[in-house]
Amino acid sequence: MSAASPTATGNPGYTETMPCKPASARRARLLVSTALHAWGIGELAEVGVLIVAELVNNAIDDTRCRVVRVLVTRPADGVVRIGVADKCKDVPERGDPDDDSEEGRGLFLVEALSRRWGYDRKRWGKVVWAELEAPAKH
């Protein structure tokens, strides 16, 4: 695994570009866990790794991307944002799975675990993100 590198946004952050392959979900979970523990909020790691795994898997399953970029930032006091960027311009939609369906529940899970989620359209694609409430920075 390559080391996470801090972003230069002025906000604390970690980011890594990964192949758009199932093995990248594990790398994304490690990145999120590393960031949260480095910030002293490891208690959010269990939820954070579930969220990033769903977002990465959605990018893999629903786009024809070759790479995804995982971002873990603290854009405001008390907020952790986990994002997955890809070059597909299609926006995510929550599925409407029936009780017997084995797919289509990822964004329901993201919504249930996060304080809010959404996406930002970019000229080159999009970033799908979810936010967690975090202890305020000191």
Side-chain angles (χ1 to χ4, degrees):
M1 181 181 107
S2 61
S5 58
T7 60
T9 63
N11 295 319
Y14 292 83
T15 182
E16 186 176 346
T17 300
M18 309 172 185
C20 202
K21 296 182 178 180
S24 291
R26 180 178 186 278
R27 287 176 61 182
R29 291 191 305 268
L30 288 171
L31 179 69
V32 168
S33 181
T34 297
L36 296 175
H37 281 92
W39 293 329
I41 50 176
E43 67 271 16
L44 297 177
E46 185 175 344
V47 171
V49 299
L50 288 171
I51 287 171
V52 79
E54 289 299 331
L55 296 180
V56 168
N57 286 332
N58 283 351
I60 292 166
D61 294 344
D62 299 334
T63 72
R64 289 177 281 150
C65 65
R66 294 190 328 187
V67 296
V68 293
R69 184 152 191 87
V70 176
L71 308 108
V72 189
T73 60
R74 295 197 72 179
D77 206 26
V79 177
V80 170
R81 181 176 277 200
I82 298 167
V84 175
D86 64 60
K87 291 188 176 182
C88 179
K89 295 191 179 204
D90 296 339
V91 296
E93 294 181 21
R94 276 194 341 197
D96 190 20
D98 59 36
D99 292 341
D100 297 328
S101 178
E102 293 184 19
E103 295 183 356
R105 290 185 173 78
L107 290 177
F108 282 109
L109 180 62
V110 169
E111 185 172 88
L113 294 174
S114 63
R115 77 178 201 151
R116 68 184 189 132
W117 75 276
Y119 59 88
D120 297 326
R121 290 180 188 255
K122 303 290 184 181
R123 181 180 40 80
W124 43 261
K126 68 180 174 304
V127 178
V128 183
W129 51 265
E131 292 180 344
L132 300 174
E133 289 186 37
K137 294 181 269 182
H138 300 339

